[in-house]
Amino acid sequence: GRWDEALKTLMEAHKLNPQYAQLTYEIGLCHMALRKYEEAESWMNRCIAINPRQLTAHLQKATIAILAHGDMDNAQDGLRSLPSHPLTDYALLTVDLMAGRNKEALGRLKSLDYEQYQEQHLYFHKDLAYAAVYHAMKNPVLQKAHAEKARAAVEKLVIAQPCDPRYRAALGLACAYLGREDEAVEEAERAVNLYPESKDAAQGPIYLHNLARVCAIIGKKEKAARYLEHLLAVPYCEYLWDIVSVPALRIDSRWASLRDVPRFQGLLKPAPGSAAGL
């Protein structure tokens, strides 16, 4: 969590090896975490210039368009030009859900030829994604049918690896879509406790983001808004589906249920010049 020191060290390394694409990407990520989006985009562009095939830099450049400006059209245009990859699929699906383009999201899910995908801090399950779309479409029958399939699959993973926060987070979401409120919160909180911000300031907050999502789904609006308030106050970095900014919250339909909550309304009106408002 010593972001200024991290950036200083990265910049010193860059002087020694300015053509190392991954290093320019890490500098861009550091600026993203600090919500210095103009600088972040500049460094992502440098990374792409060095290595045009670095998918992560392209993904983050599209993410910056939303985080900095709430520009989903520009982000989607950028993502559509990228090679086929599960991370690209998930980013496009996220933009569809943010924009409320639920039919497009369903079409995108139906076109996927895989059921699950995993990264270091990501667990994607197709049925869990379907549950999210049907939740947005206010179709509780199909929402619960897909959530139950996801729950059954994820529970097996939790039994096999009970200390993996990815599976606890996913199980929390599945239970939330099933209306099993206590279990949903319990599992999402376990994920937070297994990988807290105190353990990893850069990516620990993504599990708090998941807990906020669970709380929003089950109607614990004040808690969800409080968690979002914290996430806006701390630097952290990850992919589009796990991070927030004020411009993104203003246009993200997935948080629409919180718009009548005074605390959430207050998040959208930050003090002039504050980091969260950039």
Side-chain angles (χ1 to χ4, degrees):
R2 300 196 301 270
W3 296 97
D4 291 336
E5 291 180 50
L7 189 55
K8 180 181 178 182
T9 303
L10 288 166
M11 294 302 295
E12 289 173 352
H14 178 260
K15 291 178 182 178
L16 299 174
N17 193 355
Q19 292 302 308
Y20 182 23
Q22 183 62 25
L23 183 56
T24 60
Y25 174 74
E26 296 290 345
I27 294 172
L29 273 188
C30 197
H31 281 104
M32 282 184 70
L34 294 166
R35 295 183 173 87
K36 297 179 178 179
Y37 296 127
E38 186 175 344
E39 293 93 330
E41 184 172 16
S42 175
W43 283 99
M44 292 303 170
N45 284 334
R46 290 193 195 192
C47 178
I48 293 167
I50 297 168
N51 180 11
R53 299 177 65 184
Q54 182 146 341
L55 176 64
T56 53
H58 288 282
L59 290 172
Q60 297 297 14
K61 185 176 177 180
T63 297
I64 290 166
I66 293 177
L67 294 179
H69 309 295
D71 187 349
M72 288 190 286
D73 291 337
N74 190 26
Q76 189 170 54
D77 288 345
L79 292 169
R80 283 174 172 166
S81 68
L82 299 180
S84 177
H85 189 279
L87 290 177
T88 307
D89 295 335
Y90 198 19
L92 283 164
L93 178 65
T94 300
V95 174
D96 284 337
L97 287 169
M98 292 178 77
R101 296 193 286 261
N102 300 315
K103 290 183 179 180
E104 289 87 340
L106 284 179
R108 197 174 305 283
L109 282 172
K110 289 175 183 177
S111 71
L112 300 183
D113 59 1
Y114 53 89
E115 297 295 318
Q116 303 177 59
Y117 177 75
Q118 301 186 53
E119 287 273 347
Q120 183 181 7
H121 290 291
L122 166 66
Y123 173 71
F124 170 86
H125 193 286
K126 197 172 185 179
D127 279 302
L128 194 55
Y130 268 120
V133 178
Y134 285 120
H135 174 73
M137 298 178 77
K138 296 180 170 54
N139 186 329
V141 175
L142 290 177
Q143 170 188 317
K144 290 184 177 182
H146 285 283
E148 178 55 32
K149 290 180 182 178
R151 184 203 60 77
V154 177
E155 273 197 344
K156 294 177 182 178
L157 295 171
V158 167
I159 291 170
Q161 299 183 62
C163 293
D164 193 316
R166 297 172 301 173
Y167 305 144
R168 294 290 186 178
L171 184 55
L173 282 175
C175 289
Y177 290 127
L178 287 168
R180 295 160 62 163
E181 298 183 9
D182 292 343
E183 291 175 72
V185 172
E186 181 179 346
E187 292 298 336
E189 287 180 343
R190 280 180 177 170
V192 172
N193 292 331
L194 283 167
Y195 206 87
E197 190 179 315
S198 59
K199 179 177 181 178
D200 184 347
Q203 295 178 308
I206 69 176
Y207 295 105
L208 187 65
H209 180 275
N210 182 77
L211 177 56
R213 177 97 42 218
V214 164
C215 288
I217 293 166
I218 64 177
K220 294 185 180 294
K221 299 180 182 182
E222 181 65 26
K223 278 192 172 183
R226 179 155 45 86
Y227 296 140
L228 289 173
E229 184 177 54
H230 175 77
L231 291 171
L232 288 172
V234 297
Y236 72 107
C237 54
E238 187 52 28
Y239 293 112
L240 175 61
W241 44 85
D242 282 323
I243 47 183
V244 295
S245 72
V246 172
L249 286 176
R250 286 178 181 142
I251 49 86
D252 190 344
S253 67
R254 297 173 302 168
W255 302 104
S257 66
L258 305 184
R259 288 178 183 159
D260 62 347
V261 178
R263 186 187 290 269
F264 183 77
Q265 294 169 0
L267 297 181
L268 307 185
K269 299 176 182 178
S274 67
L278 297 179

